[in-house]
Amino acid sequence: MIENRTGTGHTRAKVILTGEHAVVYGEPAIALPLASLPMHATARHEPGPLALESVLYSGPLADAPEELAAPRAAIEATLDHLGLPHRDLTLSTESSIPAARGLGSSAATAGALALALADLAGRTLTAQEHFDLVQVGERVAHGSPSGLDARTTASTVPIWFQGGAMRPLDLHLSAHLVVADTGVHGRTRVAVADVRSFRDRHPARGAQLISELGAITRETVTDLRLDRPVLLGERLTRAHQALAELGVSSPELDRLQRTALDAGALGAKLTGGGQGGCLLALAADAASAGTIAAALRRSGAPRTWLHRIDARQPSTSQVPLA
């Protein structure tokens, strides 16, 4: 480790485009990295105890609050993996990714910190090494994580996920996404239990809805590859309707979804665990995205983010594809 240099790491937020909850029952899901919501981390040599600087806490890592237990676990695992001491280092993070909104904040944080430490040590992590280190933190944050967040926040292309297996997807879609925060923490575990309860009470209808969500995800692959934003928007709206019937939506999400459609969105749906969190709205162009975002804020969204989907952008990932 060179004492006068700074290591850097970069990851990004993620959204689940289609397939949330159905993935629990063996159907596929597609996640999309959001370069418009980056996570930056640095690691530098500084005498003294191992320290962290972030918007939530700044000070010795050993004294960090419980809400930072996940990145702390990832940091310690990375130090052990790289053979670095657990002192004389200061780590910092900078990001606007909100926590508990289904945007992968914990995985993005752990991933960027791992990359910063590896960069400081003059090492390049393989995709599997990076994934394993991020999963250390994700297990602390989520118990039994699927790994989708760990892969997608390190990627620059959409990820197909099914039955524990993942692969990158081709992207040739020219459109814009508006991400709107409901201002309410998502309740993934409650939503998962509610979907299970719906299936137990209405087995035929539950199976039909899960199958429909799987079909939407498979059709979405073609939309992404053939640049079909109008058809993709229709599928996103159908997916929201199915998820709402399963009990995954919320009054806040339903209100924002109606607002987005009324404002000209090609389609709109919740993303992630649901019962709070964020809404996705698909827009044909930048002007439409701005109009939709303004309408969503007037309808109660405390924050919105605009993301341009453009396959021509160069890869900026520090992690090679597996």
Side-chain angles (χ1 to χ4, degrees):
M1 180 173 64
I2 302 175
E3 294 188 358
N4 63 353
R5 71 184 298 268
T6 298
T8 60
H10 311 285
T11 55
R12 53 210 53 84
K14 75 92 180 66
V15 291
I16 295 181
L17 195 61
T18 56
E20 53 270 272
H21 289 281
V23 74
V24 175
Y25 299 94
E27 297 291 351
I30 295 174
L32 182 72
L34 296 180
S36 54
L37 274 175
M39 167 68 71
H40 303 298
T42 62
R44 66 183 186 273
H45 176 79
E46 194 168 293
L50 180 62
L52 176 66
E53 298 173 345
S54 72
V55 295
L56 294 176
Y57 166 82
S58 292
L61 187 64
D63 298 333
E66 181 62 27
E67 59 192 313
L68 293 176
R72 175 179 175 176
I75 289 167
E76 292 172 344
T78 302
L79 292 172
D80 290 341
H81 180 73
L82 297 171
L84 296 178
H86 287 234
R87 61 172 293 107
D88 300 330
L89 292 169
T90 294
L91 305 171
S92 64
T93 59
E94 181 180 353
S95 174
S96 56
I97 306 173
R101 295 297 195 276
L103 300 181
S105 63
S106 63
T109 301
L113 288 166
L115 291 169
L117 286 167
D119 186 42
L120 185 67
R123 294 272 299 276
T124 298
L125 296 174
T126 66
Q128 190 60 46
E129 285 176 321
H130 185 260
F131 175 79
D132 290 342
L133 292 170
V134 175
Q135 284 294 85
V136 171
E138 287 294 273
R139 282 191 286 274
V140 172
H142 302 297
S144 300
S146 68
L148 185 60
D149 283 13
R151 292 290 192 199
T152 311
T153 55
S155 177
T156 57
V157 297
I159 297 291
W160 169 280
F161 176 77
Q162 185 175 24
M166 304 182 203
R167 61 180 173 87
L169 289 176
D170 290 334
L171 175 62
H172 300 284
L173 185 74
S174 299
H176 288 68
L177 275 180
V178 180
V179 182
D181 183 3
T182 62
V184 179
H185 285 195
R187 302 196 305 162
T188 301
R189 293 185 181 182
V190 175
V192 168
D194 286 351
V195 172
R196 185 181 303 113
S197 174
F198 183 96
R199 284 172 52 85
D200 289 343
R201 290 180 287 111
H202 311 285
R205 182 57 177 163
Q208 183 181 20
L209 290 169
I210 295 298
S211 178
E212 180 182 1
L213 289 167
I216 288 171
T217 297
R218 294 180 178 89
E219 293 161 350
T220 294
V221 173
T222 306
D223 296 335
L224 295 176
R225 180 168 50 85
L226 298 182
D227 194 8
R228 303 194 307 199
V230 173
L231 288 176
L232 174 58
E234 293 172 357
R235 299 191 213 288
L236 298 184
T237 300
R238 282 172 46 208
H240 183 88
Q241 294 166 348
L243 290 165
E245 187 173 347
L246 286 167
V248 179
S249 192
S250 68
E252 297 85 0
L253 285 164
D254 289 341
R255 182 183 70 251
L256 292 182
Q257 198 240 11
R258 290 191 298 270
T259 296
L261 296 176
D262 290 343
L266 300 176
K269 64 176 285 291
L270 64 87
T271 182
Q275 297 191 4
C278 290
L279 181 95
L280 295 182
L282 188 68
D285 51 41
S288 179
T291 298
I292 295 164
L296 287 166
R297 290 192 298 272
R298 289 194 300 270
S299 188
R303 294 175 289 187
T304 60
W305 301 273
L306 305 184
H307 177 75
R308 180 182 178 185
I309 305 174
D310 189 345
R312 295 169 296 180
Q313 293 177 353
S315 171
T316 57
S317 178
Q318 291 175 277
V319 183
L321 289 175

